[in-house]
Amino acid sequence: MKNLTSILRTFSLAAATGLALTACQHGSVTEPAISENVIRNEVKMVRLPFTVKAEDDGTSTPSSYTLAGINLFLRSVGAGHADVVLLDAPDVEQTRIEEIAAHIRKSGLTYGGVSTLGPAPADGTLTLYVERHIVVPPNCGVWRHETSSNQKNNASAHYGCATMANLGLMVANPRDLIAGQSGGNSTASAVGALYSPTPQSTGPTITMSLDGLAGMAVPPTSDEIARQSRGSSGGDN
């Protein structure tokens, strides 16, 4: 009986020691391992609405007052090249939509067309939306205590966080972080232009001929100039 008790006590001690070592090696099972941390920029899309009322005279042509109100709204939200302007106009004449769209393009902004985006506007009115993507960079300032030992010399939990945050703050169009642009502005096109540059046209050429230059007077040497100088002064002494 004593032997059995001793064996059980030894087994319990060994099991407790193993659990302690396991906790030191792997940390809390409720937290991800360092290699499982995903650090990325979060891109959010927002739409800023503006109601464009119908004209007082009942016409479809937007008045100068209406266009001025649109301009004031666009300036107040800082609409820029990365934004897209959309119209929600279920009960508005196509002529009025086209003229407002032309005004938006004339302002240098991107017009994205007509779409159903929110509550239906009242009869004769339309809702103008400025669609914008914004970047929320990862928080690199929280250095929580590592719960496990780093015997394998792994990278820290925030490795690369500053680089990722800087990318999000520098990108001109946050939409590109979701899906890059295609076409002539792609990386492949830019690299291809370096290795296969487009031939440039040469400038005007000038053709020079040496014919007839043989009969021209040859500039005198320094000795001849000295002799002529002595001759003009009255000869040699």
Side-chain angles (χ1 to χ4, degrees), residues 55-209:
E55 302 299 328
D56 294 336
D57 56 4
T59 60
S60 60
T61 302
S63 62
S64 57
Y65 178 81
T66 298
L67 298 180
I70 294 176
N71 293 339
L72 181 61
F73 166 72
L74 295 176
R75 286 196 300 268
S76 66
V77 298
H81 73 283
D83 298 329
V84 178
V85 180
L86 303 168
L87 298 179
D88 190 353
D91 297 321
V92 178
E93 296 183 10
Q94 186 64 28
T95 303
R96 181 173 177 81
I97 295 175
E98 292 176 353
E99 292 190 12
I100 294 179
H103 178 74
I104 294 172
R105 295 191 185 97
K106 188 177 180 181
S107 301
L109 301 174
T110 301
Y111 174 65
V114 179
S115 180
T116 302
L117 302 175
D123 294 341
T125 65
L126 61 87
T127 304
L128 182 149
Y129 290 91
V130 173
E131 184 179 277
R132 175 176 300 168
H133 287 75
I134 58 177
V135 178
V136 180
N139 186 4
C140 302
V142 179
W143 295 91
R144 61 181 179 83
H145 177 68
E146 299 292 346
T147 58
S148 62
S149 62
N150 192 9
Q151 296 180 358
K152 295 183 179 180
N153 197 27
N154 293 327
S156 66
H158 287 274
Y159 180 76
C161 185
T163 301
M164 184 62 63
N166 287 335
L167 173 63
L169 295 175
M170 290 188 299
V171 64
N173 188 353
R175 190 191 302 263
D176 294 343
L177 296 177
I178 302 176
Q181 299 182 14
S182 60
N185 294 328
S186 64
T187 303
S189 301
V191 174
L194 294 176
Y195 289 97
S196 301
T198 304
Q200 301 294 328
S201 59
T202 58
T205 58
I206 300 176
T207 303
M208 298 183 64
S209 176

